[in-house]
Amino acid sequence: MPAPIAEATAETLPFWEAAARGELLYQRCRRCGKVQFYPRGHCAACAHRALDFEPSAGHGTIYSFTIVHRAPSAAFRDLVPYVIALVDMAEGFRLMVNLLGSDAVSGAAIGRPVRIVFAKRGEGQAVLPQAELVA
Amino acid sequence: MTGKAYLTGAYDTKVGELPGSSCLGLHAEAAFGALADAGLELGDIDGVLCAYSFTRPHIMLSSVVCEYLGIHPAFTAALSVGGATACIQVMQAQALVMAGICRHVLVVAGDNRATGLTRDGAVAALAGVGHPEFEQPYGISVPAAYALVAQRYMHEYGATPDHLAAIAVTHRAHAALHPNAHKREPITLADVGRSKMISSPLRLLDCCLISDGAAALIISAAEAAHDRPHPPIALLGAGQGHTHEHIIAAPTLTDFGCHRAAATAFGQAGLGVGDVDVALIYDSFTITLLVELESIGFFARGEAGPAAAAGALGLAGSLPCNTHGGLLSYGHSGAAGGMFHLVEAVRQLRGAAGRRQVPGAEVAFVHGDGGILSAHCSLLLGKA
Ligand SMILES: [Zn+2]
């Protein structure tokens, strides 16, 4: 059974189109300048409706992580143990990723630097922003 | 103590695996139990507040429950705020009686999650609280989201797996004193440490149960609360706090809406944490309780874990907590899980908690949290 495919909305479609070409986008408010993630039609800080998508350089650090041993559904059962991390990006937003790579389970630690990569989780899936540890 | 509304009836069904039980049947059993406890008939109830169900999902659950009970109230609605629902039902019932819309409000919740769903089905349904685009594709589950909180909290404040385990062990010891608890066999720190890893650092015994069961309360207006079979319990203060739903949108993983919810409730009641005789605080995971105890201010940062390990949350401790065994060991039946905390608070304040009784308990603090420490409601209850 395939993993769930990310269902884009009009507000998030630019994000997923960028991810498909290997780019991580976040939003910045044209009025207050705050950055936000996930994409919305307005600024959650000041309610302004004009925001720009900006590309991230892809550098972040692990804010927290967990190694999942009990999958939430059949789609993830073959992947355990896998790492979910919350990553604080240099641009000031936070997102959830899987930490990929053979050193992910042994090397995951709060504060460790990561870089964003792009990967599918299974055949025919949406390309997701993911992360790898930086040596 | 005087309040703006009073708890005049309380009842909980058996919990655990109840073959043959149904969502609506459990609702009815709890509702009629609470009515009898309050010395009321169905016709005395003019407000009905329900929650939600996994096994009988319906967009109008409160209408379905009213029809099933055979009641035509002046006001009904279903509320859906995860684990905060039971406390928010009581807060909403308070508003209804204070506004003069109702005299006696039935608040009820129940679900047959253990026998009405497969374990995989329950886990998958709960994972639906994750964001469909930005969390669920990464394989998030409710335990994994709380594990993210636990990992960060341990990093910042030095909590250890044994601190979390001490919470689980204390809850099981309390449940052993409750004749209806889902899990009563004693456990040790080593048992917790050996239990299956679910999502690091949380192990199976750090996680709440999945149980069938239901609970109900009657909330009455001040002028309607007296001359009932039991002395009324006053609702002294109530507050909420909301910061996010999804864990990716939480402002921090170390402070949550429980802080604001509790501060509002204590302010209304004119009480402080030192006045609380017994605490009934949402414990979906061991980390949930640890974070809430510190965020609310019962313990300083980093001190709840060592205090739990030293017995502070036990019946003889400085803050007897979840004396029925909580969601970790008494039972967790969806929105009814948080209502079990309220029923236990009523029993403690009536002096009717049997071997679990906190001697002379006069003030109880009850707290529910929904989502991933997302939605919070605190209540202060006192002997009238
Ligand atoms: Zn703005």
PDB file of all heavy atoms in Angstrom, chain B residues 108-142:
ATOM      1  N   VAL B 108     -22.054  14.529  28.645  1.00  0.00           N
ATOM      2  CA  VAL B 108     -21.860  13.081  28.519  1.00  0.00           C
ATOM      3  C   VAL B 108     -20.908  12.787  27.371  1.00  0.00           C
ATOM      4  O   VAL B 108     -20.883  13.509  26.369  1.00  0.00           O
ATOM      5  CB  VAL B 108     -23.225  12.371  28.341  1.00  0.00           C
ATOM      6  CG1 VAL B 108     -23.987  12.887  27.120  1.00  0.00           C
ATOM      7  CG2 VAL B 108     -23.073  10.850  28.283  1.00  0.00           C
ATOM      8  N   ALA B 109     -20.104  11.756  27.546  1.00  0.00           N
ATOM      9  CA  ALA B 109     -19.190  11.307  26.489  1.00  0.00           C
ATOM     10  C   ALA B 109     -18.930   9.824  26.681  1.00  0.00           C
ATOM     11  O   ALA B 109     -18.925   9.326  27.808  1.00  0.00           O
ATOM     12  CB  ALA B 109     -17.868  12.074  26.532  1.00  0.00           C
ATOM     13  N   GLY B 110     -18.703   9.132  25.577  1.00  0.00           N
ATOM     14  CA  GLY B 110     -18.386   7.711  25.663  1.00  0.00           C
ATOM     15  C   GLY B 110     -18.060   7.157  24.296  1.00  0.00           C
ATOM     16  O   GLY B 110     -18.426   7.738  23.273  1.00  0.00           O
ATOM     17  N   ASP B 111     -17.357   6.055  24.286  1.00  0.00           N
ATOM     18  CA  ASP B 111     -17.009   5.393  23.030  1.00  0.00           C
ATOM     19  C   ASP B 111     -16.571   3.964  23.347  1.00  0.00           C
ATOM     20  O   ASP B 111     -16.027   3.711  24.423  1.00  0.00           O
ATOM     21  CB  ASP B 111     -15.872   6.137  22.322  1.00  0.00           C
ATOM     22  CG  ASP B 111     -16.102   6.256  20.817  1.00  0.00           C
ATOM     23  OD1 ASP B 111     -17.034   5.616  20.302  1.00  0.00           O
ATOM     24  OD2 ASP B 111     -15.347   6.990  20.174  1.00  0.00           O
ATOM     25  N   ASN B 112     -16.838   3.063  22.407  1.00  0.00           N
ATOM     26  CA  ASN B 112     -16.344   1.693  22.563  1.00  0.00           C
ATOM     27  C   ASN B 112     -15.138   1.508  21.652  1.00  0.00           C
ATOM     28  O   ASN B 112     -15.140   0.709  20.731  1.00  0.00           O
ATOM     29  CB  ASN B 112     -17.440   0.658  22.281  1.00  0.00           C
ATOM     30  CG  ASN B 112     -18.078   0.827  20.914  1.00  0.00           C
ATOM     31  OD1 ASN B 112     -18.183   1.941  20.411  1.00  0.00           O
ATOM     32  ND2 ASN B 112     -18.488  -0.280  20.318  1.00  0.00           N
ATOM     33  N   ARG B 113     -14.078   2.260  21.976  1.00  0.00           N
ATOM     34  CA  ARG B 113     -12.875   2.262  21.142  1.00  0.00           C
ATOM     35  C   ARG B 113     -12.114   0.952  21.195  1.00  0.00           C
ATOM     36  O   ARG B 113     -11.408   0.616  20.254  1.00  0.00           O
ATOM     37  CB  ARG B 113     -11.918   3.348  21.640  1.00  0.00           C
ATOM     38  CG  ARG B 113     -12.183   4.668  21.025  1.00  0.00           C
ATOM     39  CD  ARG B 113     -11.111   5.642  21.437  1.00  0.00           C
ATOM     40  NE  ARG B 113     -11.541   6.965  21.054  1.00  0.00           N
ATOM     41  CZ  ARG B 113     -10.763   8.030  21.054  1.00  0.00           C
ATOM     42  NH1 ARG B 113      -9.521   7.929  21.447  1.00  0.00           N
ATOM     43  NH2 ARG B 113     -11.226   9.184  20.676  1.00  0.00           N
ATOM     44  N   ALA B 114     -12.196   0.247  22.301  1.00  0.00           N
ATOM     45  CA  ALA B 114     -11.394  -0.973  22.432  1.00  0.00           C
ATOM     46  C   ALA B 114     -11.990  -2.111  21.617  1.00  0.00           C
ATOM     47  O   ALA B 114     -11.272  -2.809  20.906  1.00  0.00           O
ATOM     48  CB  ALA B 114     -11.269  -1.370  23.905  1.00  0.00           C
ATOM     49  N   THR B 115     -13.299  -2.328  21.734  1.00  0.00           N
ATOM     50  CA  THR B 115     -13.912  -3.460  21.028  1.00  0.00           C
ATOM     51  C   THR B 115     -14.559  -3.029  19.719  1.00  0.00           C
ATOM     52  O   THR B 115     -14.824  -3.877  18.868  1.00  0.00           O
ATOM     53  CB  THR B 115     -14.981  -4.141  21.904  1.00  0.00           C
ATOM     54  OG1 THR B 115     -15.998  -3.182  22.212  1.00  0.00           O
ATOM     55  CG2 THR B 115     -14.377  -4.672  23.189  1.00  0.00           C
ATOM     56  N   GLY B 116     -14.805  -1.712  19.532  1.00  0.00           N
ATOM     57  CA  GLY B 116     -15.476  -1.250  18.319  1.00  0.00           C
ATOM     58  C   GLY B 116     -14.539  -0.879  17.188  1.00  0.00           C
ATOM     59  O   GLY B 116     -14.971  -0.598  16.077  1.00  0.00           O
ATOM     60  N   LEU B 117     -13.238  -0.844  17.473  1.00  0.00           N
ATOM     61  CA  LEU B 117     -12.222  -0.549  16.463  1.00  0.00           C
ATOM     62  C   LEU B 117     -11.110  -1.568  16.657  1.00  0.00           C
ATOM     63  O   LEU B 117     -10.891  -2.036  17.762  1.00  0.00           O
ATOM     64  CB  LEU B 117     -11.596   0.836  16.689  1.00  0.00           C
ATOM     65  CG  LEU B 117     -12.398   2.107  16.488  1.00  0.00           C
ATOM     66  CD1 LEU B 117     -11.547   3.292  16.937  1.00  0.00           C
ATOM     67  CD2 LEU B 117     -12.768   2.285  15.029  1.00  0.00           C
ATOM     68  N   THR B 118     -10.368  -1.872  15.574  1.00  0.00           N
ATOM     69  CA  THR B 118      -9.133  -2.621  15.783  1.00  0.00           C
ATOM     70  C   THR B 118      -8.110  -1.664  16.387  1.00  0.00           C
ATOM     71  O   THR B 118      -8.237  -0.445  16.284  1.00  0.00           O
ATOM     72  CB  THR B 118      -8.567  -3.147  14.453  1.00  0.00           C
ATOM     73  OG1 THR B 118      -8.220  -2.026  13.644  1.00  0.00           O
ATOM     74  CG2 THR B 118      -9.595  -4.022  13.733  1.00  0.00           C
ATOM     75  N   ARG B 119      -7.080  -2.218  17.016  1.00  0.00           N
ATOM     76  CA  ARG B 119      -6.028  -1.363  17.571  1.00  0.00           C
ATOM     77  C   ARG B 119      -5.394  -0.533  16.454  1.00  0.00           C
ATOM     78  O   ARG B 119      -5.158   0.660  16.612  1.00  0.00           O
ATOM     79  CB  ARG B 119      -4.974  -2.236  18.265  1.00  0.00           C
ATOM     80  CG  ARG B 119      -3.994  -1.415  19.036  1.00  0.00           C
ATOM     81  CD  ARG B 119      -3.141  -2.208  20.007  1.00  0.00           C
ATOM     82  NE  ARG B 119      -2.315  -1.267  20.737  1.00  0.00           N
ATOM     83  CZ  ARG B 119      -2.701  -0.664  21.845  1.00  0.00           C
ATOM     84  NH1 ARG B 119      -3.859  -0.946  22.374  1.00  0.00           N
ATOM     85  NH2 ARG B 119      -1.928   0.218  22.436  1.00  0.00           N
ATOM     86  N   ASP B 120      -5.154  -1.171  15.291  1.00  0.00           N
ATOM     87  CA  ASP B 120      -4.599  -0.429  14.152  1.00  0.00           C
ATOM     88  C   ASP B 120      -5.560   0.680  13.724  1.00  0.00           C
ATOM     89  O   ASP B 120      -5.140   1.774  13.367  1.00  0.00           O
ATOM     90  CB  ASP B 120      -4.350  -1.370  12.961  1.00  0.00           C
ATOM     91  CG  ASP B 120      -3.105  -2.211  13.156  1.00  0.00           C
ATOM     92  OD1 ASP B 120      -2.325  -1.923  14.087  1.00  0.00           O
ATOM     93  OD2 ASP B 120      -2.926  -3.168  12.381  1.00  0.00           O
ATOM     94  N   GLY B 121      -6.857   0.382  13.754  1.00  0.00           N
ATOM     95  CA  GLY B 121      -7.851   1.374  13.353  1.00  0.00           C
ATOM     96  C   GLY B 121      -7.844   2.569  14.282  1.00  0.00           C
ATOM     97  O   GLY B 121      -7.937   3.722  13.837  1.00  0.00           O
ATOM     98  N   ALA B 122      -7.703   2.314  15.573  1.00  0.00           N
ATOM     99  CA  ALA B 122      -7.682   3.408  16.545  1.00  0.00           C
ATOM    100  C   ALA B 122      -6.440   4.259  16.358  1.00  0.00           C
ATOM    101  O   ALA B 122      -6.502   5.493  16.371  1.00  0.00           O
ATOM    102  CB  ALA B 122      -7.736   2.845  17.970  1.00  0.00           C
ATOM    103  N   VAL B 123      -5.289   3.610  16.158  1.00  0.00           N
ATOM    104  CA  VAL B 123      -4.033   4.350  15.967  1.00  0.00           C
ATOM    105  C   VAL B 123      -4.119   5.194  14.700  1.00  0.00           C
ATOM    106  O   VAL B 123      -3.725   6.368  14.681  1.00  0.00           O
ATOM    107  CB  VAL B 123      -2.838   3.364  15.905  1.00  0.00           C
ATOM    108  CG1 VAL B 123      -1.563   4.080  15.447  1.00  0.00           C
ATOM    109  CG2 VAL B 123      -2.618   2.716  17.267  1.00  0.00           C
ATOM    110  N   ALA B 124      -4.657   4.609  13.609  1.00  0.00           N
ATOM    111  CA  ALA B 124      -4.748   5.331  12.339  1.00  0.00           C
ATOM    112  C   ALA B 124      -5.715   6.508  12.452  1.00  0.00           C
ATOM    113  O   ALA B 124      -5.450   7.601  11.936  1.00  0.00           O
ATOM    114  CB  ALA B 124      -5.182   4.381  11.231  1.00  0.00           C
ATOM    115  N   ALA B 125      -6.847   6.302  13.143  1.00  0.00           N
ATOM    116  CA  ALA B 125      -7.824   7.385  13.287  1.00  0.00           C
ATOM    117  C   ALA B 125      -7.214   8.549  14.060  1.00  0.00           C
ATOM    118  O   ALA B 125      -7.387   9.721  13.702  1.00  0.00           O
ATOM    119  CB  ALA B 125      -9.074   6.870  14.002  1.00  0.00           C
ATOM    120  N   LEU B 126      -6.453   8.241  15.111  1.00  0.00           N
ATOM    121  CA  LEU B 126      -5.834   9.291  15.911  1.00  0.00           C
ATOM    122  C   LEU B 126      -4.765  10.033  15.119  1.00  0.00           C
ATOM    123  O   LEU B 126      -4.576  11.244  15.285  1.00  0.00           O
ATOM    124  CB  LEU B 126      -5.234   8.696  17.187  1.00  0.00           C
ATOM    125  CG  LEU B 126      -6.273   8.270  18.218  1.00  0.00           C
ATOM    126  CD1 LEU B 126      -5.656   7.360  19.259  1.00  0.00           C
ATOM    127  CD2 LEU B 126      -6.884   9.496  18.888  1.00  0.00           C
ATOM    128  N   ALA B 127      -4.062   9.321  14.219  1.00  0.00           N
ATOM    129  CA  ALA B 127      -3.013   9.963  13.426  1.00  0.00           C
ATOM    130  C   ALA B 127      -3.599  11.043  12.521  1.00  0.00           C
ATOM    131  O   ALA B 127      -2.879  11.913  12.037  1.00  0.00           O
ATOM    132  CB  ALA B 127      -2.249   8.931  12.608  1.00  0.00           C
ATOM    133  N   GLY B 128      -4.923  11.000  12.313  1.00  0.00           N
ATOM    134  CA  GLY B 128      -5.599  12.017  11.518  1.00  0.00           C
ATOM    135  C   GLY B 128      -5.534  13.411  12.105  1.00  0.00           C
ATOM    136  O   GLY B 128      -5.860  14.372  11.414  1.00  0.00           O
ATOM    137  N   VAL B 129      -5.102  13.566  13.366  1.00  0.00           N
ATOM    138  CA  VAL B 129      -4.924  14.926  13.896  1.00  0.00           C
ATOM    139  C   VAL B 129      -3.704  15.585  13.249  1.00  0.00           C
ATOM    140  O   VAL B 129      -3.540  16.789  13.323  1.00  0.00           O
ATOM    141  CB  VAL B 129      -4.807  14.989  15.441  1.00  0.00           C
ATOM    142  CG1 VAL B 129      -6.012  14.353  16.099  1.00  0.00           C
ATOM    143  CG2 VAL B 129      -3.516  14.384  15.934  1.00  0.00           C
ATOM    144  N   GLY B 130      -2.831  14.811  12.623  1.00  0.00           N
ATOM    145  CA  GLY B 130      -1.660  15.378  11.953  1.00  0.00           C
ATOM    146  C   GLY B 130      -2.067  16.150  10.711  1.00  0.00           C
ATOM    147  O   GLY B 130      -3.090  15.860  10.080  1.00  0.00           O
ATOM    148  N   HIS B 131      -1.255  17.139  10.326  1.00  0.00           N
ATOM    149  CA  HIS B 131      -1.555  17.942   9.138  1.00  0.00           C
ATOM    150  C   HIS B 131      -1.488  17.060   7.892  1.00  0.00           C
ATOM    151  O   HIS B 131      -0.498  16.345   7.686  1.00  0.00           O
ATOM    152  CB  HIS B 131      -0.551  19.095   9.024  1.00  0.00           C
ATOM    153  CG  HIS B 131      -0.984  20.150   8.056  1.00  0.00           C
ATOM    154  ND1 HIS B 131      -1.057  19.927   6.701  1.00  0.00           N
ATOM    155  CD2 HIS B 131      -1.413  21.414   8.255  1.00  0.00           C
ATOM    156  CE1 HIS B 131      -1.490  21.026   6.104  1.00  0.00           C
ATOM    157  NE2 HIS B 131      -1.727  21.945   7.033  1.00  0.00           N
ATOM    158  N   PRO B 132      -2.533  17.110   7.041  1.00  0.00           N
ATOM    159  CA  PRO B 132      -2.566  16.175   5.913  1.00  0.00           C
ATOM    160  C   PRO B 132      -1.445  16.381   4.898  1.00  0.00           C
ATOM    161  O   PRO B 132      -1.049  15.430   4.232  1.00  0.00           O
ATOM    162  CB  PRO B 132      -3.939  16.435   5.274  1.00  0.00           C
ATOM    163  CG  PRO B 132      -4.371  17.759   5.791  1.00  0.00           C
ATOM    164  CD  PRO B 132      -3.729  17.925   7.145  1.00  0.00           C
ATOM    165  N   GLU B 133      -0.941  17.606   4.779  1.00  0.00           N
ATOM    166  CA  GLU B 133       0.129  17.850   3.803  1.00  0.00           C
ATOM    167  C   GLU B 133       1.517  17.906   4.425  1.00  0.00           C
ATOM    168  O   GLU B 133       2.490  17.495   3.798  1.00  0.00           O
ATOM    169  CB  GLU B 133      -0.106  19.189   3.080  1.00  0.00           C
ATOM    170  CG  GLU B 133      -1.259  19.201   2.127  1.00  0.00           C
ATOM    171  CD  GLU B 133      -1.386  20.567   1.461  1.00  0.00           C
ATOM    172  OE1 GLU B 133      -0.594  20.836   0.553  1.00  0.00           O
ATOM    173  OE2 GLU B 133      -2.248  21.357   1.899  1.00  0.00           O
ATOM    174  N   PHE B 134       1.618  18.435   5.629  1.00  0.00           N
ATOM    175  CA  PHE B 134       2.940  18.763   6.156  1.00  0.00           C
ATOM    176  C   PHE B 134       3.354  17.917   7.363  1.00  0.00           C
ATOM    177  O   PHE B 134       4.415  18.151   7.932  1.00  0.00           O
ATOM    178  CB  PHE B 134       3.009  20.266   6.475  1.00  0.00           C
ATOM    179  CG  PHE B 134       2.775  21.098   5.245  1.00  0.00           C
ATOM    180  CD1 PHE B 134       1.561  21.744   5.041  1.00  0.00           C
ATOM    181  CD2 PHE B 134       3.743  21.164   4.254  1.00  0.00           C
ATOM    182  CE1 PHE B 134       1.339  22.479   3.886  1.00  0.00           C
ATOM    183  CE2 PHE B 134       3.527  21.894   3.098  1.00  0.00           C
ATOM    184  CZ  PHE B 134       2.324  22.554   2.899  1.00  0.00           C
ATOM    185  N   GLU B 135       2.495  16.966   7.767  1.00  0.00           N
ATOM    186  CA  GLU B 135       2.874  16.045   8.853  1.00  0.00           C
ATOM    187  C   GLU B 135       2.594  14.583   8.483  1.00  0.00           C
ATOM    188  O   GLU B 135       3.449  13.727   8.637  1.00  0.00           O
ATOM    189  CB  GLU B 135       2.122  16.405  10.146  1.00  0.00           C
ATOM    190  CG  GLU B 135       2.518  17.777  10.709  1.00  0.00           C
ATOM    191  CD  GLU B 135       1.825  18.108  12.023  1.00  0.00           C
ATOM    192  OE1 GLU B 135       0.765  17.511  12.330  1.00  0.00           O
ATOM    193  OE2 GLU B 135       2.329  18.982  12.734  1.00  0.00           O
ATOM    194  N   GLN B 136       1.375  14.323   8.029  1.00  0.00           N
ATOM    195  CA  GLN B 136       1.016  12.921   7.775  1.00  0.00           C
ATOM    196  C   GLN B 136       1.913  12.232   6.736  1.00  0.00           C
ATOM    197  O   GLN B 136       2.206  11.043   6.888  1.00  0.00           O
ATOM    198  CB  GLN B 136      -0.458  12.816   7.370  1.00  0.00           C
ATOM    199  CG  GLN B 136      -1.410  13.110   8.534  1.00  0.00           C
ATOM    200  CD  GLN B 136      -2.868  12.882   8.155  1.00  0.00           C
ATOM    201  OE1 GLN B 136      -3.187  11.978   7.395  1.00  0.00           O
ATOM    202  NE2 GLN B 136      -3.749  13.716   8.667  1.00  0.00           N
ATOM    203  N   PRO B 137       2.382  12.917   5.669  1.00  0.00           N
ATOM    204  CA  PRO B 137       3.262  12.219   4.715  1.00  0.00           C
ATOM    205  C   PRO B 137       4.574  11.740   5.329  1.00  0.00           C
ATOM    206  O   PRO B 137       5.267  10.928   4.723  1.00  0.00           O
ATOM    207  CB  PRO B 137       3.515  13.278   3.633  1.00  0.00           C
ATOM    208  CG  PRO B 137       2.349  14.200   3.719  1.00  0.00           C
ATOM    209  CD  PRO B 137       2.012  14.260   5.194  1.00  0.00           C
ATOM    210  N   TYR B 138       4.906  12.240   6.534  1.00  0.00           N
ATOM    211  CA  TYR B 138       6.150  11.839   7.183  1.00  0.00           C
ATOM    212  C   TYR B 138       5.935  10.693   8.178  1.00  0.00           C
ATOM    213  O   TYR B 138       6.845  10.326   8.909  1.00  0.00           O
ATOM    214  CB  TYR B 138       6.790  13.054   7.861  1.00  0.00           C
ATOM    215  CG  TYR B 138       7.128  14.134   6.857  1.00  0.00           C
ATOM    216  CD1 TYR B 138       6.272  15.221   6.659  1.00  0.00           C
ATOM    217  CD2 TYR B 138       8.259  14.025   6.066  1.00  0.00           C
ATOM    218  CE1 TYR B 138       6.563  16.185   5.702  1.00  0.00           C
ATOM    219  CE2 TYR B 138       8.554  14.989   5.105  1.00  0.00           C
ATOM    220  CZ  TYR B 138       7.698  16.062   4.925  1.00  0.00           C
ATOM    221  OH  TYR B 138       7.990  17.007   3.965  1.00  0.00           O
ATOM    222  N   GLY B 139       4.719  10.167   8.224  1.00  0.00           N
ATOM    223  CA  GLY B 139       4.464   9.029   9.107  1.00  0.00           C
ATOM    224  C   GLY B 139       4.250   9.430  10.551  1.00  0.00           C
ATOM    225  O   GLY B 139       4.575   8.673  11.469  1.00  0.00           O
ATOM    226  N   ILE B 140       3.675  10.615  10.773  1.00  0.00           N
ATOM    227  CA  ILE B 140       3.439  11.085  12.145  1.00  0.00           C
ATOM    228  C   ILE B 140       2.304  10.277  12.777  1.00  0.00           C
ATOM    229  O   ILE B 140       1.388   9.817  12.091  1.00  0.00           O
ATOM    230  CB  ILE B 140       3.099  12.602  12.151  1.00  0.00           C
ATOM    231  CG1 ILE B 140       3.183  13.187  13.556  1.00  0.00           C
ATOM    232  CG2 ILE B 140       1.730  12.844  11.533  1.00  0.00           C
ATOM    233  CD1 ILE B 140       4.587  13.300  14.089  1.00  0.00           C
ATOM    234  N   SER B 141       2.406  10.081  14.075  1.00  0.00           N
ATOM    235  CA  SER B 141       1.329   9.483  14.869  1.00  0.00           C
ATOM    236  C   SER B 141       1.197  10.352  16.111  1.00  0.00           C
ATOM    237  O   SER B 141       2.068  11.191  16.375  1.00  0.00           O
ATOM    238  CB  SER B 141       1.683   8.055  15.275  1.00  0.00           C
ATOM    239  OG  SER B 141       2.842   8.066  16.103  1.00  0.00           O
ATOM    240  N   VAL B 142       0.137  10.146  16.881  1.00  0.00           N
ATOM    241  CA  VAL B 142       0.015  10.929  18.116  1.00  0.00           C
ATOM    242  C   VAL B 142       1.187  10.629  19.063  1.00  0.00           C
ATOM    243  O   VAL B 142       1.814  11.555  19.579  1.00  0.00           O
ATOM    244  CB  VAL B 142      -1.355  10.715  18.786  1.00  0.00           C
ATOM    245  CG1 VAL B 142      -1.397  11.408  20.143  1.00  0.00           C
ATOM    246  CG2 VAL B 142      -2.455  11.259  17.885  1.00  0.00           C
TER     247      VAL B 142
END
